Amino acid sequence: GIEQAARMIREVSRHSQGNPRFLRYDMREPFPFGGFGLVVNLFTSFGFFATRAEHDRSIGNMSEALAPDGRLVIDYLNADHVAANLVPEETVFRDGLEFRIARRIEGDRIMKSIRVLDTGTGDVHLFEERVRAFRLPDFEQMFSAAGLRIRETFGDYDWHAFHPDDSPRLVMFAGKV
């Protein structure tokens, strides 16, 4: 597997069974290897780059890493479902932590600000996520430019059909043209 954040590689390695290999790598750079039968990008691990060109380049790199008959699977949020069901603010308490979460949409980005308060120490940490509100036509364009075509789409992890208005996810299976 590849991941850009060293902390995440340490964490997943700590919980892994067997002998998996993880490489710290940025998907915006061409992969140094290829010929894979399957490339997966799960849980909206995409959409965080500043420019569309960076996203296009990442899709192109994933395509180049595939064998001629390989498949690319991208699991992404359904931007229309997120917008229709946006919870602007909420507070969650878990394991001595208070999470104050604020969500909003700004232009083509879905924004989430998270304030974490450790109720025992009083320490406060702030995080912000910014993910592009890509929709199926956006992915169709990016895939086409990378020599890929979407073969199947699903709207959740139970493999129900994708419906833009009410599916929580956009799971795409693509192959080379």
Side-chain angles (χ1 to χ4, degrees), residues 64-125:
E64 288 298 316
L66 289 172
D69 61 345
R71 292 289 183 257
L72 170 62
V73 178
I74 293 187
D75 161 37
Y76 204 70
L77 57 84
N78 176 0
D80 292 321
H81 184 266
V82 170
N85 296 282
L86 190 74
V87 176
E89 293 183 18
E90 70 177 314
T91 301
V92 176
F93 297 92
R94 186 172 294 135
D95 300 327
L97 300 174
E98 175 187 285
F99 298 87
R100 289 193 183 178
I101 305 165
R103 298 174 186 89
R104 65 196 182 283
I105 296 176
E106 290 183 10
D108 67 347
R109 297 195 186 272
I110 300 164
M111 313 288 282
K112 182 165 53 172
S113 300
I114 307 166
R115 180 184 181 270
V116 182
L117 168 66
D118 184 323
T119 57
T121 65
D123 290 342
V124 174
H125 302 278

Side-chain angles (χ1 to χ4, degrees), residues 38-67:
L38 180 65
V39 172
V40 296
N41 183 282
L42 303 175
F43 311 118
T44 311
S45 298
F46 188 79
F48 294 95
F49 303 130
T51 68
R52 173 66 183 258
E54 291 172 289
H55 292 95
D56 290 341
R57 193 165 53 248
S58 297
I59 296 286
N61 290 336
M62 287 186 253
S63 177
E64 288 298 316
L66 289 172

